[in-house]
Amino acid sequence: PDKMEGVPESAKALWANAHVQHLTSEATGDTEIPEMNPEAGPWRITLDIPSYSPALSHLPDRKLREHIYMAYLQRASGINGNKNNVPLIYEILRLRSEMAKMLGYENFAELSLASKMAPSVEAITELTNLIAEKAIPVAKKELAEITALARQKGGSPYSEANLEKLEPWDVNFWSERLKESKFDITDEELRPYFALPAVLEGMFGLVNRLFGVTVIAADGEEEVWHPDVRFFKISDTESGQHIASFFLDPYSRPENKRGGA
């Protein structure tokens, strides 16, 4: 429990539930599964982004953050034996290059852009450089602020004598502390304002104002692959004519659907 000091209730609940779900998946016969206990644990932190991200942002134990960060960084890499995806990545790159040349393109980037709005690889490079030119000085300034706060509040482990610069597993943690100190607000306090129904309502309202279309929930009209999946129809606001439909699958599922998918 000491390692969880200052961790938001939502994160502890997520990790405690992950532990119970893991025990349930591994259980056989009459195995008794304990009830979830967010306050006392046990907790299970996975490398799925909804689990990993709050760990890097809130766990006060620096060594634990380092362990989780390195596990995330090295997943499916050369040090993971039969889970090493590096040869597959090189094979994918080779096949993409081969396919692009067969279709008359210089490289896969050109092939990818053939069906997208960006006019050329050069235009993307130019935009990337422009963003970097504006963003890097701001990022350096913010990192200096974060570092100063860590040295001020973090004690001896973060002193210049013991730490030349913040490590990657320190940045998110102290960035969160800086936000809390500057704006006197935490992610947990913001969470109720970004509940999924509120986000969808705001997003669909924006789409209506920008494009003149209405998004209508049509749950039950089509078969879905998971109970969490929802179905929506898009219609022209003025005429009411049906234009398109889409499925919304908003939650990650560590066993078969990563965060962001």
Side-chain angles (χ1 to χ4, degrees):
D2 291 343
K3 293 181 183 294
M4 293 290 167
E5 183 178 354
V7 174
E9 297 300 318
S10 59
K12 289 189 287 188
L14 177 70
W15 299 335
N17 182 60
H19 173 71
V20 171
Q21 292 298 319
H22 174 70
L23 292 181
T24 302
S25 67
E26 297 287 316
T28 57
D30 297 327
T31 305
E32 186 175 344
I33 306 299
E35 290 187 10
M36 183 180 82
N37 191 333
E39 288 303 317
W43 304 276
R44 181 180 176 85
I45 299 172
T46 72
L47 301 183
D48 194 41
I49 284 294
S51 179
Y52 168 82
S53 183
L56 267 289
S57 295
H58 298 291
L59 285 174
D61 188 310
R62 191 164 182 260
K63 286 291 185 184
L64 183 54
R65 292 201 310 270
E66 178 184 0
H67 178 73
I68 295 169
Y69 174 84
M70 294 305 295
Y72 184 82
L73 188 69
Q74 296 170 350
R75 68 200 189 284
S77 68
I79 66 170
N80 279 320
N82 62 357
K83 294 183 179 179
N84 177 17
N85 276 346
V86 173
L88 294 176
I89 292 172
Y90 281 116
E91 178 69 3
I92 290 169
L93 292 174
R94 185 188 68 78
L95 291 173
R96 282 183 167 186
S97 177
E98 183 180 315
M99 178 173 64
K101 287 180 169 57
M102 288 175 62
L103 294 172
Y105 296 93
E106 285 295 318
N107 49 58
F108 183 77
E110 288 187 0
L111 171 59
S112 177
L113 290 181
S115 59
K116 297 174 182 174
M117 292 179 64
S120 66
V121 175
E122 292 72 25
I124 291 179
T125 302
E126 182 181 349
L127 177 61
T128 302
N129 291 339
L130 177 63
I131 293 172
E133 181 184 334
K134 303 296 183 183
I136 289 175
V138 176
K140 288 181 176 179
K141 180 182 176 183
E142 290 181 355
L143 182 59
E145 281 189 87
I146 294 167
T147 302
L149 180 67
R151 299 208 190 284
Q152 177 189 354
K153 301 288 188 182
S156 175
Y158 295 95
S159 68
E160 291 188 43
N162 293 323
L163 191 67
E164 181 182 353
K165 63 179 182 179
L166 293 184
E167 297 289 356
W169 50 87
D170 296 321
V171 174
N172 280 13
F173 179 81
W174 287 104
S175 176
E176 197 66 27
R177 306 294 79 74
L178 179 65
K179 182 174 71 175
E180 292 168 1
S181 65
K182 288 181 72 171
F183 304 111
D184 192 28
I185 195 166
T186 66
D187 281 347
E188 203 72 356
E189 291 169 321
L190 289 173
R191 185 174 293 274
Y193 298 98
F194 291 94
L196 182 59
V199 171
L200 291 181
E201 182 180 353
M203 181 173 67
F204 294 162
L206 178 63
V207 167
N208 178 261
R209 293 194 299 275
L210 291 177
F211 304 112
V213 297
T214 301
V215 182
I216 305 165
D219 298 309
E221 293 189 16
E222 294 289 343
E223 185 179 356
V224 296
W225 54 92
H226 189 276
D228 289 338
V229 177
R230 300 194 60 194
F231 181 65
F232 293 89
K233 291 183 175 179
I234 303 174
S235 61
D236 180 82
T237 301
E238 288 189 3
S239 67
Q241 180 182 357
H242 177 247
I243 301 172
S245 304
F246 67 93
F247 294 95
L248 176 67
D249 190 1
Y251 304 113
S252 69
R253 292 184 290 279
E255 69 279 6
N256 57 24
K257 179 176 178 287
R258 61 176 175 79

